[in-house]
């Protein structure tokens, strides 16, 4: 080997080593600190809490790298729009989160801000443990222009008070939406989001409806929304539009469809449109409304293939419990099973037209291969009308079996006044998604039944750090639900209900659908007291 050749090999080797070192450094990234409550007159370098950046404008000017963490001080308020640049990678995500102890840091959009947080043509971001307020027309808005954007995660956030008049169904509190027919998202996770109060359309939406009936390229893929809450919204609560492989589970929506007059559509609580292989399970929806039609809880809408709606709880809705639709397309392989429907059709107009279960087609649409089975329907509308309404063109052999229709359950005889106690024993591990789902259900019960004393007991072995224990109630947004930690090694049930006299009435060892507990509370405690429900949580 010549000297020149040897030098070339040595240089190439060093280049590989240096490249590997740079990749390792990129994977580790830097941690950047933001403290908008700081009294400092100018931003520091952001590398330590004592030299934190003090404004969102400084943050938005920076392009972040794979592995970076951007942390906002807990208890602080930053005003304006946060629009950071840069993308992470599959091996090294960028994280937007919180540092310190106490309430979540809050970003407040100001007048003229499109959103409190916006990501554009970016991927591999995790957004967690931050509160966002304001924005017009969005609270959190993530979109792009072309290609596939991967790995967007939103965890344990609060988003509220988004203003303005809705112009599209992609305006709202938490919106991840394609920006063109050439762009879509893959691998979206929304886990533990609380979204409320907006005059815009949607609570939580992942979709691409603004670009019409799309070619396959514009469908979002592999989308999960779980353990989340949406309420007090003008239009829809939680929706998947134009998704392949989607899941909505352990989530709750109430006071949806609050628009005064019909403008851009007719809303529902939790539903799917143009979805392939999408499942809606273990969710609760109530107090749904619409100035037009719909106003229901769950809906397999037109353009859907292989959709399942199972083990959900729909109650006290103006419209239906669940519907299956087809228009212009054939809706294929729809399954509606093991749902509990109670006190639906409170609007005489909607009850007469739609019933509790509604099958409808129009514009030459057809429903092919539909199964409606093992549902419990408690039907007592304000006028005599059928619980099942079918005005659909149906192909194949529909399966309608083992469904029960009866009047609403009566309150348990001899129940005594006083405080009922509902206690959930959960894990604080991030991997235990069922525990986070139980917390979402407890928040719903706490809002509906003020006479029930709700309590959360966390397995202390899953959260051993004192700082994490202090922050967990804020991260879960439990508000005035007490949270304690049990450091014993005993195995606990998931949930127990104790009567005012101290009698153990109900015990569930494993995570289950919300309807079971919902019916039990209606029979033991009575109907929910909606007039006393808070509107600011």
């Amino acid at each position: 080997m010549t000297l020149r050749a040897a030098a070339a090999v040595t240089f190439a080797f060093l280049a590989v080593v240096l490249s590997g070192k740079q990749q390792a450094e990129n994977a580790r990234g830097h941690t950047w600190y933001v403290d908008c409550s700081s009294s400092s007159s100018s931003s520091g370098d952001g590398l330590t809490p004592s030299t934190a950046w003090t404004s969102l404008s400084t943050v938005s000017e920076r392009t972040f790298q794979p592995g970076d963490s951007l942390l906002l001080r807990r208890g602080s308020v930053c005003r304006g729009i946060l629009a950071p640049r840069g993308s992470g990678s599959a091996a090294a995500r960028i994280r937007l989160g919180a540092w310190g102890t106490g309430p979540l840091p809050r970003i407040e959009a100001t007048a003229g801000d499109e959103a409190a947080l916006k990501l554009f043509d970016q991927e591999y971001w995790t957004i967690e443990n931050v509160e966002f307020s304001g924005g017009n027309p969005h609270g959190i808005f993530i979109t792009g222009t072309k290609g596939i954007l991967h790995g967007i995660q939103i965890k344990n956030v609060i988003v509220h008070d988004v203003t303005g008049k809705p112009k599209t169904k992609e305006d709202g509190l938490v919106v991840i939406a394609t920006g063109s027919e050439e762009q879509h998202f893959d691998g979206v996770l929304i886990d533990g989001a609380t979204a409320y109060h907006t005059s815009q359309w949607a609570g939580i939406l992942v979709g691409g409806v603004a670009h019409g009936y799309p070619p396959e390229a514009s469908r979002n893929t592999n989308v999960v929304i779980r353990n989340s809450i949406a309420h007090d919204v003008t239009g829809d609560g939680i929706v998947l539009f134009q998704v392949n492989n989607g899941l909505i589970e352990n989530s709750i929506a109430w006071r949806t469809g609050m628009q005064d007059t019909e403008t851009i559509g007719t809303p529902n609580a939790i539903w799917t449109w143009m979805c392939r292989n999408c499942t809606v399970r273990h969710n609760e929806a109530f107090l749904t409304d619409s100035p037009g039609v719909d106003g229901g809880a769950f809906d397999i809408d037109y353009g859907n293939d292989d959709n399942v709606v199972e083990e959900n709880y729909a109650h006290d809705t103006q419209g239906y419990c669940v519907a299956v639709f087809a228009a212009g397309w054939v809706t294929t392989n729809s399954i509606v099973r093991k749902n509990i429907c109670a006190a639906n059709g409170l609007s005489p107009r909607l009850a007469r037209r739609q019933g509790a279960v509604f099958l409808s087609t129009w514009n030459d649409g057809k429903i092919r291969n539909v199964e409606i089975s093992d549902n419990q329907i408690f039907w007592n509308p304000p006028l005599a009308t059928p619980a099942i309404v079918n005005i659909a063109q149906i192909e194949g052999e529909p399966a309608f079996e083992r469904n029960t229709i009866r009047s609403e359950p009566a309150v348990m005889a001899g129940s005594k006044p006083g405080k009922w106690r509902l206690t959930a024993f959960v894990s604080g591990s991030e991997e235990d998604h069922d525990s986070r789902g139980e917390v979402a259900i407890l928040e719903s019960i706490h809002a509906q039944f003020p006479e029930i004393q709700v309590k959360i007991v966390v397995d202390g072995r899953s959260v051993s750090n004192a700082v994490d224990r202090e922050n967990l109630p804020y991260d879960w947004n439990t508000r005035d639900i007490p949270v304690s930690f049990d450091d014993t090694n005993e195995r606990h049930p998931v949930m127990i209900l104790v009567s005012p006299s101290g009698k153990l009435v109900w015990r569930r060892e494993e995570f289950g659908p919300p309807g079971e507990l919902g019916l039990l509370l209606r029979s033991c405690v009575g109907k929910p007291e909606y007039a006393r429900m808070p509107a600011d949580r």
Side-chain angles (χ1 to χ4, degrees):
M1 181 181 294
T2 66
L3 183 60
R4 179 178 295 181
V9 170
T10 302
F11 180 80
F13 173 76
L14 289 173
V16 170
V17 171
L18 291 173
S19 175
K21 182 179 180 181
Q22 184 63 51
Q23 290 177 5
E25 290 177 353
N26 287 344
R28 287 195 302 268
H30 294 285
T31 298
W32 305 94
Y33 296 89
V34 182
D35 182 4
C36 294
S37 64
S38 173
S39 59
S40 174
S41 59
S42 61
S43 288
D45 58 16
L47 291 174
T48 68
S50 61
T51 60
W53 293 326
T54 59
S55 69
L56 294 182
S57 59
T58 302
V59 181
S60 296
E61 290 171 358
R62 187 167 192 93
T63 299
F64 293 92
Q65 302 300 319
D68 280 355
S69 291
L70 172 61
L71 306 182
L72 283 67
R73 182 177 180 178
R74 287 179 179 268
S76 66
V77 178
C78 294
R79 291 179 173 84
I81 180 173
L82 176 59
R85 294 175 291 184
S87 288
S89 67
R93 310 178 61 82
I94 298 175
R95 174 176 170 248
L96 169 64
W99 65 276
T101 58
L104 300 183
R106 186 167 75 250
I107 296 177
E108 288 185 356
T110 55
D113 289 332
E114 177 185 4
L117 171 68
K118 182 177 181 180
L119 299 182
F120 187 79
D121 275 337
Q122 293 160 266
E123 58 184 349
Y124 294 114
W125 275 76
T126 295
I127 300 149
E128 59 185 347
N129 303 333
V130 180
E131 179 179 350
F132 303 90
S133 69
N136 180 357
H138 304 106
I140 293 178
F141 184 42
I142 302 176
T143 188
T145 54
K146 62 182 179 180
I148 304 173
L149 299 175
H150 303 86
I152 297 297
Q153 297 182 352
I154 300 174
K155 302 179 181 180
N156 294 337
V157 301
I158 303 172
V159 188
H160 57 93
D161 294 302
V162 171
T163 60
K165 185 176 181 179
K167 297 179 180 178
T168 76
K169 288 190 175 183
E170 292 183 346
D171 299 332
L173 291 158
V174 180
V175 175
I176 301 176
T178 58
S180 72
E181 293 186 2
E182 290 74 40
Q183 185 264 318
H184 77 272
F185 292 91
D186 177 67
V188 173
L189 171 64
I190 300 175
D191 189 347
T194 300
Y196 62 91
H197 278 179
T198 182
S199 56
Q200 293 289 349
W201 185 261
I204 301 172
L205 177 148
V206 179
V209 67
H211 303 287
Y213 308 140
E216 287 304 304
S218 63
R219 287 184 185 267
N220 298 302
T221 53
N222 304 314
V223 178
V224 175
I225 303 174
R226 64 185 176 215
N227 309 327
S228 295
I229 293 173
H231 67 85
D232 290 275
V233 297
T234 292
D236 297 317
I238 303 173
V239 289
L240 295 179
F241 293 160
Q242 299 174 202
V243 167
N244 287 350
N245 300 323
L247 172 66
I248 305 174
E249 67 176 357
N250 306 340
S251 295
I252 301 142
W254 70 81
R255 283 198 293 247
T256 61
M258 295 290 102
Q259 58 178 339
D260 294 328
T261 57
E262 183 177 339
T263 55
I264 60 175
T266 54
N268 287 309
I270 300 175
W271 61 291
T272 58
W273 174 78
M274 289 279 173
C275 274
R276 292 183 176 175
N277 190 31
C278 291
T279 298
V280 175
R281 69 182 177 210
H282 287 195
N283 303 288
E284 180 184 11
F286 58 99
L287 297 189
T288 66
D289 202 356
S290 172
V293 296
D294 289 316
F298 304 101
D299 167 11
I300 299 176
D301 217 291
Y302 68 86
N304 284 340
D305 298 318
D306 302 308
N307 276 223
V308 179
V309 173
E310 62 182 0
E311 298 187 327
N312 300 287
Y313 180 35
H315 61 99
D316 300 285
T317 60
Q318 295 296 311
Y320 46 71
C321 168
V322 61
V324 181
F325 296 137
W329 279 265
V330 177
T331 298
T332 62
N333 302 332
S334 303
I335 298 176
V336 177
R337 64 188 173 202
K338 297 183 179 180
N339 300 284
I340 293 178
C341 309
N344 306 110
L346 295 178
S347 161
R349 173 180 60 89
L350 295 176
R352 176 182 286 120
R353 183 182 187 273
Q354 301 174 163
V357 177
F358 186 35
L359 283 71
S360 177
T361 57
W362 64 98
N363 290 347
D364 297 321
K366 296 179 177 60
I367 297 173
R368 179 183 300 145
N369 299 335
V370 59
E371 173 192 330
I372 300 175
S373 63
D374 300 293
N375 300 285
Q376 296 183 62
I377 303 171
F378 297 89
W379 183 239
N380 188 25
L383 76 171
T385 188
I388 312 297
V389 175
N390 177 17
I391 54 173
Q393 294 188 50
I394 297 179
E395 296 181 342
E397 291 296 326
F400 185 87
E401 52 195 8
R402 300 182 303 278
N403 300 285
T404 60
I405 303 174
R406 64 192 78 170
S407 60
E408 189 173 0
V411 175
M412 182 183 296
S415 61
K416 298 179 181 180
K419 280 286 184 183
W420 291 75
R421 288 181 289 141
L422 180 64
T423 303
F425 299 89
V426 302
S427 170
S429 169
E430 185 176 342
E431 289 72 32
D432 191 338
H433 306 307
D434 285 350
S435 286
R436 188 66 180 87
E438 291 280 7
V439 171
I441 291 173
L442 289 175
E443 291 185 55
S444 170
I445 291 169
H446 183 61
Q448 297 177 66
F449 295 93
E451 61 273 74
I452 297 178
Q453 182 180 5
V454 178
K455 184 178 180 181
I456 299 170
V457 179
V458 181
D459 183 348
R461 295 165 296 172
S462 65
V463 187
S464 57
N465 184 281
V467 172
D468 292 340
R469 289 190 179 195
E470 182 174 349
N471 288 334
L472 187 64
Y474 297 111
D475 297 345
W476 282 356
N477 192 33
T478 58
R479 297 288 291 271
D480 50 346
I481 300 176
V483 178
S484 61
F485 295 85
D486 185 353
D487 294 316
T488 69
N489 293 320
E490 297 178 6
R491 179 180 180 273
H492 293 293
V494 171
M495 198 174 290
I496 60 173
L497 178 67
V498 178
S499 71
S501 64
K503 179 182 178 181
L504 178 63
V505 175
W506 178 78
R507 174 188 184 113
R508 184 167 67 195
E509 297 287 346
E510 297 179 353
F511 183 79
E516 175 189 355
L517 178 58
L519 286 185
L520 176 70
L521 295 179
R522 294 180 86 97
S523 66
C524 291
V525 183
K527 294 182 179 180
E529 297 187 27
Y530 294 127
R532 297 167 61 183
M533 284 182 62
D536 61 346
R537 60 172 303 127

